[in-house]
Amino acid sequence: MSFPAMIRTPLPYSTTKELSDSGVAAAAFPFNYIACKPPAAAADDDENEAADEAQIPTIDFSLLSSRNPDNRAQIVRELGRACEEWGFFTVLNHGVPVELQKAMMDACVGFFHLTAEEKEDYMGRHVLDPIRFGMSFNTKVEDVQYWRDFLKVFQHPVFHYPTKPTIFREVSEGYSRHIRQLGKDLLNAIWESLGLEENVMQEALSLESCFQMLAANFYPPCPKPELALGLPAHSDHGLVTILMQNGTDGLQVMHNGKWFGVKPLPNSFLVNLGDHMEIVTNGRYKSVLHRAKVNNKSTRISVVSAIGPSLDAVVVPAPMLVERQKRPAAFRGIKYRDFMEHQQSNKLMGKSVLDLLRL
């Protein structure tokens, strides 16, 4: 097996964007970014497996507020089927203004184009810092770095924001409010699809104090996309994750043991279930593995909103579902804060944290 020319010593770049802009990686690719085997040696390598384009389920959100009970019942059934069969779906007619979506994307682009010195002010020291900028996933523990810069901002129950660019606060405050309501409405419909009472789940998960985080991901052009990954296969920690992206694709989702590329519809959000949905539903609705691929032509930016229980909620399988399934609880309980801290402090590998809770 022969590798292309590589740099084996650390490079003096504090962000992946700087490395991409420098052109250095085009001449000799940094060894610590090699996440995949070269194609000639990767016939059986899952990371290099070609992905078909997915026809994922589509949910017309407007029907959830339909005055026709039959229409609502039908879309709740479709949502439940999407959760059970895919754990991933597209939401249309969601009510989030297009102008607000664009403004949020522009604010994130503006942040990533700040100077390295300006962004360094937000370089997180702890994985639960409310504002954290960084590269890869967790460079302190990784053997391989991922072709990605990120900004993570906690937005509920306490609203945080970077002071630059100046527009970020106003835009993200409005955007987070719309997305939080969208997430809560989807959760209520998901509970309904399972025959669970909304007020019972609200109390069990302390959803009035739900955790919400905005994560902006910046994947610049990569000169060797066949060797690198934006992010490896992983599941998300919360209940639901709501994603929008710019016009560049790269998201792939695992379905029935095979990778599928996801191409969002115009003015839509992509939604996937997280690990805590799998815990709450005792495994009926499963979190979905997904990954980010990179390309050598254009920058991909995704703006992800994670909606989870209160950080202080101890999450266990819903007793009503456990009783109805007539089988024991499949997961032991854990405080959401502890789960998230463990996931974010370690290497990102599949469902590794969720697997620790299986009974």
Side-chain angles (χ1 to χ4, degrees):
M1 177 174 67
S2 62
F3 287 90
M6 294 174 197
I7 299 174
R8 294 179 178 269
T9 56
L11 292 169
Y13 300 104
S14 59
T15 71
T16 308
K17 180 180 183 301
E18 278 189 344
L19 176 58
S20 177
D21 290 345
S22 72
V24 169
F29 197 70
F31 190 80
N32 57 315
Y33 279 92
I34 296 177
C36 310
K37 297 175 184 177
D44 299 318
D45 186 3
D46 180 63
E47 296 295 1
N48 276 287
E49 179 187 343
D52 295 330
E53 188 173 316
Q55 299 296 321
I56 65 172
T58 298
I59 301 299
D60 184 345
F61 182 79
S62 66
L63 294 180
L64 289 176
S65 57
S66 173
R67 294 182 178 180
N68 183 327
D70 292 337
N71 287 346
R72 177 178 170 83
Q74 176 63 27
I75 202 66
V76 167
R77 285 193 296 271
E78 290 179 12
L79 178 60
R81 191 159 52 247
C83 289
E84 191 158 18
E85 296 177 359
W86 277 85
F88 197 94
F89 50 90
T90 296
V91 174
L92 295 173
N93 300 321
H94 43 70
V96 181
V98 174
E99 298 80 6
L100 185 57
Q101 296 175 59
K102 182 179 185 303
M104 189 70 257
M105 183 64 71
D106 290 346
C108 292
V109 171
F111 177 87
F112 288 117
H113 281 86
L114 295 175
T115 65
E117 291 74 23
E118 289 173 309
K119 287 182 286 194
E120 191 173 351
D121 292 342
Y122 302 104
M123 194 72 75
R125 302 293 179 256
H126 188 274
V127 295
L128 293 184
D129 285 348
I131 305 177
R132 186 160 62 98
F133 167 72
M135 59 195 299
S136 191
F137 179 74
N138 187 337
T139 56
K140 294 179 181 178
V141 299
E142 291 167 339
D143 301 318
V144 173
Q145 287 185 242
Y146 301 106
W147 198 264
R148 166 202 189 225
D149 292 336
F150 67 83
L151 171 68
K152 296 183 178 181
V153 185
F154 291 7
Q155 298 193 309
H156 195 266
V158 179
F159 178 72
H160 297 271
Y161 58 92
T163 57
K164 296 180 181 179
T166 54
I167 194 65
F168 201 101
R169 175 181 183 176
E170 179 183 352
V171 170
S172 65
E173 195 166 21
Y175 183 80
S176 68
R177 189 166 54 247
H178 275 83
I179 292 297
R180 186 163 58 254
Q181 189 59 55
L182 172 62
K184 287 185 174 183
D185 289 343
L186 285 172
L187 286 174
N188 289 338
I190 290 172
W191 307 145
E192 185 176 342
S193 76
L194 291 162
L196 298 173
E197 294 185 18
E198 176 185 331
N199 61 334
V200 172
M201 299 310 297
Q202 285 268 2
E203 183 176 348
L205 300 173
S206 301
L207 289 176
E208 286 302 313
S209 301
C210 73
F211 175 75
Q212 180 180 1
M213 179 182 69
L214 181 144
N217 301 301
F218 187 93
Y219 306 100
C222 177
K224 296 290 182 182
E226 71 276 13
L227 298 180
L229 280 174
L231 278 175
H234 67 282
S235 57
D236 294 339
H237 50 72
L239 291 165
V240 292
T241 300
I242 301 171
L243 176 148
M244 73 167 174
Q245 67 177 35
N246 65 353
T248 300
D249 298 328
L251 177 64
Q252 295 182 350
V253 60
M254 175 71 77
H255 180 61
N256 290 336
K258 185 175 180 179
W259 286 110
F260 288 87
V262 178
K263 191 173 184 65
L265 298 171
N267 191 25
S268 69
F269 286 106
L270 297 171
V271 179
N272 65 270
L273 305 185
D275 290 339
H276 275 75
M277 182 63 73
E278 185 162 344
I279 294 174
V280 168
T281 64
N282 205 35
R284 179 170 172 182
Y285 292 173
K286 293 178 170 55
S287 59
V288 62
L289 289 176
H290 53 287
R291 65 185 182 185
K293 301 288 280 185
V294 293
N295 71 86
N296 59 7
K297 293 182 174 64
S298 58
T299 295
R300 176 173 179 257
I301 300 174
S302 64
V303 179
V304 176
S305 296
I307 308 290
S310 163
L311 285 175
D312 293 320
V314 176
V315 182
V316 298
M320 182 180 293
L321 285 181
V322 174
E323 181 180 349
R324 196 185 302 157
Q325 291 169 346
K326 296 182 179 180
R327 64 183 179 88
F331 303 94
R332 63 180 176 87
I334 188 173
K335 187 179 288 189
Y336 181 42
R337 181 192 308 274
D338 296 338
F339 184 104
M340 190 170 74
E341 183 173 6
H342 189 84
Q343 188 210 48
Q344 299 288 302
S345 299
N346 291 278
K347 296 177 183 178
L348 194 61
M349 296 187 301
K351 295 188 177 186
S352 58
V353 183
L354 183 64
D355 290 340
L356 294 175
L357 303 180
R358 297 186 191 276
L359 296 173

